[in-house]
Every structure is written in C-alpha cells, then in structure tokens.
Amino acid sequence: MKRAIALIDVNNFYVSCERVFNPKLKNKPVVVLSNNDGCAISRSKDAKALGVVMGAPWFKMQELVKQHGIIGLSSNYALYADMSNRVMTTLNDFSPNQEVYSIDECFLDLTGFNRDLKAYGQEMRGRILKWTGLPVCVGVGSTKTLAKLANHIAKKQSQFDGVCNLNQLTEDELNKVFSNIEVGEVWGVGRRLASKLKVLGINTVLDLKRADPEYIRGQFSVVMAKTVSELNGTVCIELEEISPPRKQILSSRSFGHTVRDFNSLAESITLYMSRAAEKLRKQNSFAGSVHVYIRTSPFKLDEPHYSNGMTIPMPSPTDDSRQLVKISLWALKRIYRPGFNYAKAGVMLSEIVPKAGIQNDLFSQPVSNQKSEALMSAMDDINRKMGRESIKLASEGFKRPWKMRQENKSPNYTTDWSGLVRIGDLNFKLR
Ligand SMILES: [Mg+2]
C-alpha cells in the first residue's frame, strides 16, 4: 500500500505566536530575535519581503528598522513551548501515529486513511487556527522527504491553499512541479551540499530525483542516497513514533542553538527529566528505568558526528524527581564527549508501573517514602498554582543555554497569571 505521510508546520511560528496575543503586530514587519537579541530567527511575511534574511544580525539591520518600522522581539520560549504543546495535542487527534519533529512541525502517518487527504488537511488547518490562533500548512507525500517538500510547496504556492498532497499528482505533474524547485529545498540538503550538487549539474529537485543513487552515494554519502530513494517514493526514514504514554514517557527537544559544554547539557537533561517526572506523577505511576541520550545534527555532514544513549534500571521504581535527575546526570556524565556541537538531548522513562502495588527492592530504601511523596506533591501543587518552574531543582540551572538577554520580550500569556492579556492593554482603536 502506498504510504501517506503528512508534515504539518506552523507558518513563521515564533512571530505567529506573538501575533495571537498582540493584534498590533498584525500586518507589520516583525522579527523574533535569537539569544541575546542577536539574529533574526523568525520573520513575518512582511519582514521577509523587506529583505530580512534568516539569521540576519539585529544590529546590522538598524537602517532598515528605522526606515520601515520593523519590530524586533526577544524570543519567549515559555510561550512558544506552550503553544507548541497545544498544536501537537490538537494534531494528535488526527492520527494515532505522530512524530513531533521540532517545536513547530510534526509528522502524522495517514496511510490507509480512506478519505480525501486534501480535505483532511484543510480540517487540520481549520481546527488549529480555531483552537490556537496559529496558521499552519500541510504537506502529504509517500515518504517523509516528500512530505517535507509538499509542505514547502503548500507554503510557497498559493494555488494549493495551504495543503499539498503529492500523492494525488500524476508522475508527469509531479516532475513538472519538481523541475521548478531548487535542489536546496530538499530536506537535509543544505546550502553547502546544494552548491556541490549544482557543480554536478543537479540543479532542481527533479534532477536529484532522477540521479543514480549509487553515483550519489559515491559522491556524497548514504544519507544523500537515501534522500534520492525517498524522492522516488521509497521509504528509507521511518516515523520515530512515541509509544502510548502509559508505557513510556519521552521528553526531548532539539536545541535552538548548538550546545557544546557539559553543564548546559546537564541543565537541559534536568529540565526534561523534571517535565517527564511531573507527567509520571500526574498519571500516578512509577518508572523502573531511565534512558538518556544526546546527539549532534544528522544533517551537518561537515561536522564530526556523535550520538549516544544509556539506559539505567532503577534499584526500585520511583517518581521522585531528585532521584530520577540524579541518575540521568550520572548517565549523561558517561555518554558525554567534549568537542561536539550537540543539537538534541532527551530522556525517556520506561518500565512504568502503577503506583499502587509496588514491590520494594530487598536492599534499598522503601519507595513509598512519605517524605518524598509529600515533597513531590507540594512541588507539583506550587507549580500548578504559581506557574511552571516556580519551584525546581537547582541543577536545572539559572543561566541556561537558552537563557539570554531579552530587551523586548512579550509576557508569558499562557503560562503565568501575571502575563494574562488585559483588554485595556490592547488599545483597540474603536471607531
Ligand atoms: Mg515553521
């Protein structure tokens, strides 16, 4: 059966999140800036039209800023993470098989869905807009690489109305579309590889699709050869599905920027494990084992690669953040190697069992430790009432890798009571 894989991606995600809560930003050129208000990492359509490129340093565009009134916002990751969760939860209803690929993109497996997928994609767009206020585009193809490309087409070519299903096109139609897209737009083909491909006369997506995979493997790598196969509809990259929440709890994110030092990784692992442990307690379970992993980007072929993970069985199942964090940091110490640009880290809790009826290890402390239970539930209560991270473990850090100078940051509209939008603040001009 032909696979149908959808890639749903929020348009200009960070800028769109800001616009949901601040209508003044609509139809204005807006950019969201990276750490320390350094470079543009998300641009509104209007800002793109003014020639603001991705990664452009803020201090270098001051002339343009004055001329056109470009609004530069500090990044507000608490807001984006919360909005991301809302989008992903909403999309989860559309397929049992979901891979959250990044903060604003996910894959859904729609294989065997007996319905018009173009209409289904429109349904997703409508529901996400209604429930979160965010605009998304949907691309469908028979492989992940084709789904990514379909999403790009849905975004750039207005006749698709936000949803592009490549599975509906004939081979001739497909080739025609591909002949008009630059090869650099293909998933995993960056600017550097694109220029190397162009030297070999491979300029468009169609050229790459028609290239001999063996030749490509010789010139580049097995990764690029897989890309060619995927463009021809052969699945080489499977969905990295997450098992049902009852059995495993996963918490991971790609970093906005590469991270090199141990302390920054330790802080992010602590944060992910704290989140995972919170979820664990919410469903009244204990975890019997902990998995920790770190990796560099699989797409940066010119940089040294490293990825490693470690699974540690717990002496006895627990839901205590302190114990879970301690063990994950112990594992991190063993898999960490200096000298690499890390792009992602994550933790997974497994061997999850219900809290009731736990068997204690003969040689360890009893797990139903009343002190620990009281402390954890107090922690969860405080964070629920006062906002996320009101109270946390110290190893989560105070100068995190993503913590930064923020001169123009919006309030945490959705995760902090004091950040709630007040109607009077919006200064609507009523006429
Ligand atoms: Mg996006």
Side-chain angles (χ1 to χ4, degrees), residues 218-233:
Q219 292 290 322
F220 295 87
S221 68
V222 65
V223 180
M224 187 67 93
K226 277 184 184 172
T227 299
V228 174
S229 303
E230 285 242 322
L231 283 176
N232 285 285

Side-chain angles (χ1 to χ4, degrees), residues 88-143:
M88 298 311 165
T89 316
T90 308
L91 286 170
N92 196 24
D93 287 345
F94 285 89
S95 164
N97 304 316
Q98 179 186 37
E99 176 192 342
V100 177
Y101 179 68
S102 74
I103 193 164
D104 73 329
E105 305 168 71
C106 82
F107 290 101
L108 293 179
D109 198 342
L110 308 179
T111 307
F113 280 39
N114 191 15
R115 55 188 304 160
D116 176 5
L117 295 183
K118 176 129 184 145
Y120 200 46
Q122 290 298 355
E123 212 179 305
M124 294 178 200
R125 294 184 78 214
R127 196 181 300 173
I128 291 170
L129 188 66
K130 196 168 176 186
W131 289 10
T132 70
L134 294 169
V136 302
C137 283
V138 181
V140 180
S142 55
T143 65

Side-chain angles (χ1 to χ4, degrees), residues 9-13 104-105 155:
D9 185 322
V10 182
N11 306 346
N12 317 322
F13 180 57
D104 73 329
E105 305 168 71
K155 254 187 204 153

Side-chain angles (χ1 to χ4, degrees), residues 137-350:
C137 283
V138 181
V140 180
S142 55
T143 65
K144 280 166 92 171
T145 304
L146 286 169
K148 281 282 250 185
L149 203 57
N151 190 284
H152 170 80
I153 295 165
K155 254 187 204 153
K156 300 285 166 178
Q157 304 187 20
S158 55
Q159 74 267 27
F160 284 96
D161 201 19
V163 182
C164 169
N165 180 2
L166 292 178
N167 284 359
Q168 271 178 338
L169 303 186
T170 64
E171 196 67 18
D172 284 346
E173 288 170 326
L174 208 57
N175 291 346
K176 193 167 171 250
V177 174
F178 286 175
S179 68
N180 287 315
I181 306 174
E182 245 201 286
V183 72
E185 298 298 344
V186 175
W187 190 31
V189 179
R191 205 182 307 162
R192 203 184 59 86
L193 289 172
S195 46
K196 193 175 168 194
L197 282 164
K198 282 174 188 170
V199 172
L200 300 172
I202 297 169
N203 294 299
T204 67
V205 177
L206 183 62
D207 295 337
L208 186 60
K209 183 184 168 215
R210 286 182 169 163
D212 174 15
E214 282 309 312
Y215 171 70
I216 293 292
R217 187 198 305 263
Q219 292 290 322
F220 295 87
S221 68
V222 65
V223 180
M224 187 67 93
K226 277 184 184 172
T227 299
V228 174
S229 303
E230 285 242 322
L231 283 176
N232 285 285
T234 306
V235 173
C236 299
I237 311 167
E238 264 303 335
L239 245 64
E240 284 178 38
E241 283 172 42
I242 297 158
S243 308
R246 290 275 160 205
K247 288 183 194 146
Q248 286 178 331
I249 295 174
L250 187 90
S251 176
S252 72
R253 283 276 188 279
S254 296
F255 302 132
H257 301 268
T258 53
V259 165
R260 292 179 68 86
D261 64 300
F262 178 82
N263 285 344
S264 300
L265 281 175
E267 287 182 3
S268 51
I269 289 289
T270 305
L271 172 72
Y272 303 149
M273 185 47 91
S274 303
R275 292 274 157 83
E278 213 175 292
K279 280 186 203 160
L280 186 69
R281 293 192 292 269
K282 218 177 196 170
Q283 67 172 47
N284 283 317
S285 310
F286 278 23
S289 94
V290 165
H291 179 79
V292 178
Y293 74 90
I294 48 175
R295 67 162 171 77
T296 55
S297 165
F299 292 127
K300 292 196 174 152
L301 297 172
D302 48 349
E303 288 181 3
H305 280 236
Y306 178 70
S307 101
N308 204 352
M310 190 181 243
T311 306
I312 315 256
M314 305 290 289
S316 49
T318 183
D319 68 348
D320 189 318
S321 293
R322 296 167 302 170
Q323 219 175 323
L324 292 165
V325 165
K326 200 169 148 191
I327 292 212
S328 352
L329 294 180
W330 186 87
L332 177 66
K333 230 174 245 166
R334 266 137 203 93
I335 57 175
Y336 173 75
R337 300 283 176 277
F340 293 98
N341 291 324
Y342 291 99
K344 193 171 185 177
V347 300
M348 191 173 68
L349 295 173
S350 48

